[in-house]
Amino acid sequence: MTILVTGGAGFIGANFVLDWLAASSETVVNLDKLTYAGNLETLTSLQNNANHVFVRGDIGDLALVESLLQTHQPRAVVNFAAESHVDRSIHGPGEFIETNIMGTFRLLEAVRGYWSGLPQEEMHPRVKPENDKHLTQSSFRFLHVSTDEVYGSLSKDDPAFAETHRYEPNSPYSASKAASDHLVRAWHHTYGLPVLTTNCSNNYGPYHFPEKLIPLMIVNALAGKPLPVYGDGMQVRDWLYVKDHCSAIRRVLEAGRLGETYNVGGWNEKPNIEIVQTVCKLLDALRPKADGTHYSSQITYVTDRPGHDRRYAIDARKLEQELGWKPAETFESGIRKTVEWYLANPQWVSNVQSGAYRDWVQKQYAGADRKP
Ligand code: NAD
Ligand code: DAU
């Protein structure tokens, strides 16, 4: 059996692919455009793994996606591919509209065509014995990975976001993700496509691109640079270790009810400044500064992000109670693992930062169906 993963060279997608292939003998076809955020170095350990097929390409390339679906006959598509950084969406929303909305639309259309052509159990009550894949319209799944940011911002005493919370996206990024969620929902209600959607809180962990808060703070702290905290630093995010997000997606793929959305979160609400202080304290303990000062002395308050959402919080009870999912990491264990990972992998950081690795990849993997 095979699954098609999009955006599997990015932070969460790559963690998902690595975890999936460590536990399963199914083939993963990994479709990724390799934007600045996609990094094949993350997948180096899969170089000789015959179950990993990397394809460089765009989810919005209908012909490419159609041909991948026909060739590999996946039983599921898991869609991670997106432009993901809020600050970038403020400075240049175009790519977000193109990939997150138009790309998702074209991907849905390719998948709908493929799914329509799969055998229908209703019409063929006994699945054809010669069809050793046992792949039918009703067993196929399209899982769309989305964000809690579609729900907008909470004030201090509001209850956490449940799946029934209305959509109130505030940034170009969250508006584009909200639009993609609506398209996925519509493709289920109108065409019957068997979809699932997950809306997750802030992830952190290995292979996180150092433009996002936690990896940026680790990397800047070690480089002796300022640690830029937006506004008063009292914005609240709800943090989840990336491997726990991946386990939630696997669980929803396995047992989620069709057409449903599942909120994913770790019940770890924390103000940004507390996150930055925690990172600084861990670094003080694990890599003390030569001059004896604390990393927190590098904290610098800077101008706030325009339209900055004040608080996100996820109510994950539906996923926990209906599907029995629980995160494995506490924030304390997860953040320690994360800081340790960045300390152990300075080469990965310098490669993604320099862009040299990306330039090399551009030259090496210009075609499709190439392995990293
Ligand atoms: P990321 O930016 O690290 O990775 C995105 C990946 O998608 C990259 O490898 C990139 O090359 C690829 N990509 C971009 N445009 C593409 C296109 N048109 N076609 C094919 N590939 C393309 O993002 P991430 O943090 O790993 O997020 C993955 C998904 O999870 C996104 O949909 C995001 O909205 C969602 N999400 C992220 C978080 C988080 O905290 N990072 C939380 C909840 C949901
Ligand atoms: O909530 C889920 C979302 O979490 C995902 O959908 C997004 O893809 C992901 O990027 C993330 O969005 P945020 O905007 O919350 O993440 P970011 O790491 O950019 O910022 C986290 C918080 O830290 C936010 O309140 C802004 C603040 N911040 C961020 C940076 C980069 C700073 O104070 N300083 C910084 O330098």
Side-chain angles (χ1 to χ4, degrees):
M1 296 293 264
T2 299
I3 63 166
L4 172 63
V5 171
T6 72
F11 165 47
I12 307 172
N15 274 287
F16 180 85
V17 169
L18 290 167
D19 288 359
W20 185 279
L21 287 170
S24 158
S25 56
E26 274 184 292
T27 298
V28 173
V29 178
N30 184 350
L31 172 65
D32 196 295
K33 188 178 171 181
L34 295 181
T35 67
Y36 78 95
N39 186 357
L40 285 179
E41 194 179 359
T42 305
L43 302 168
T44 307
S45 65
L46 301 177
Q47 242 164 2
N48 298 316
N49 188 330
N51 288 337
H52 182 235
V53 179
F54 182 80
V55 180
R56 185 177 191 190
D58 194 319
I59 55 166
D61 183 341
L62 197 65
L64 172 64
V65 179
E66 281 172 348
S67 99
L68 288 176
L69 292 167
Q70 285 311 323
T71 305
H72 297 283
Q73 298 280 304
R75 70 172 177 94
V77 173
V78 184
N79 182 31
F80 291 95
E83 288 294 333
S84 69
H85 192 39
V86 174
D87 291 329
R88 283 181 190 253
S89 82
I90 294 166
H91 296 295
E95 279 299 309
F96 289 73
I97 306 305
E98 193 48 51
T99 282
N100 300 359
I101 306 179
M102 293 308 295
T104 304
F105 157 63
R106 294 192 189 108
L107 178 65
L108 281 166
E109 279 298 81
V111 169
R112 182 164 75 91
Y114 165 69
W115 168 78
S116 310
L118 292 174
Q120 292 178 38
E121 272 165 333
E122 295 75 18
M123 290 174 66
H124 309 279
R126 276 181 285 127
V127 177
K128 285 187 280 173
E130 68 272 22
N131 179 5
D132 60 4
K133 290 181 174 172
H134 298 292
L135 178 63
T136 63
Q137 274 193 8
S138 63
S139 64
F140 179 79
R141 296 287 179 271
F142 179 90
L143 192 151
H144 180 61
V145 179
S146 192
T147 170
D148 59 359
E149 298 202 12
V150 297
Y151 299 124
S153 185
L154 295 168
S155 56
K156 196 164 129 306
D157 300 319
D158 285 338
F161 298 129
E163 289 79 359
T164 47
H165 197 283
R166 73 174 169 191
Y167 271 41
E168 286 181 314
N170 290 320
S171 71
Y173 163 70
S174 55
S176 68
K177 289 296 289 186
S180 70
D181 292 9
H182 292 323
L183 291 174
V184 171
R185 176 189 162 87
W187 261 239
H188 174 67
H189 281 265
T190 304
Y191 305 114
L193 192 70
V195 308
L196 299 154
T197 298
T198 53
N199 294 87
C200 189
S201 61
N202 283 62
N203 285 216
Y204 67 100
Y207 306 113
H208 205 180
F209 195 85
E211 64 183 350
K212 309 279 169 55
L213 180 72
I214 289 180
L216 182 75
M217 294 299 146
I218 299 171
V219 168
N220 275 14
L222 292 171
K225 292 183 180 167
L227 308 180
V229 173
Y230 297 165
D232 64 1
M234 290 306 291
Q235 304 82 6
V236 171
R237 296 293 182 266
D238 189 350
W239 295 92
L240 183 69
Y241 192 62
V242 63
K243 303 276 179 201
D244 285 325
H245 187 187
C246 295
S247 76
I249 292 169
R250 292 196 299 273
R251 185 68 193 131
V252 172
L253 192 57
E254 183 179 63
R257 282 183 294 133
L258 294 187
E260 292 288 317
T261 66
Y262 292 89
N263 283 355
V264 187
W267 305 98
N268 280 313
E269 282 187 63
K270 306 221 179 273
N272 293 337
I273 188 64
E274 194 180 314
I275 296 289
V276 178
Q277 294 282 11
T278 301
V279 166
C280 288
K281 282 192 192 123
L282 278 165
L283 288 172
D284 284 339
L286 296 168
R287 182 71 56 85
K289 285 171 79 166
D291 64 4
T293 60
H294 294 297
Y295 286 101
S296 56
S297 63
Q298 293 166 228
I299 292 174
T300 313
Y301 288 89
V302 298
T303 309
D304 209 351
R305 173 186 278 175
H308 199 169
D309 284 338
R310 195 68 182 164
R311 175 179 164 236
Y312 304 142
I314 277 282
D315 179 340
R317 278 178 296 181
K318 180 175 172 185
L319 178 59
E320 291 170 357
Q321 290 167 9
E322 212 177 273
L323 303 183
W325 173 85
K326 279 253 178 293
E329 302 291 341
T330 62
F331 183 73
E332 289 64 34
S333 64
I335 192 71
R336 175 172 275 275
K337 281 186 181 176
T338 304
V339 171
E340 286 171 348
W341 187 88
Y342 278 88
L343 286 173
N345 290 278
Q347 198 56 51
W348 183 92
V349 172
S350 84
N351 287 349
V352 292
Q353 278 188 318
S354 71
Y357 185 77
R358 242 185 6 264
D359 296 344
W360 177 81
V361 162
Q362 305 273 357
K363 288 198 199 104
Q364 299 290 316
Y365 299 103
D369 263 332
R370 301 280 197 90
K371 283 185 152 281

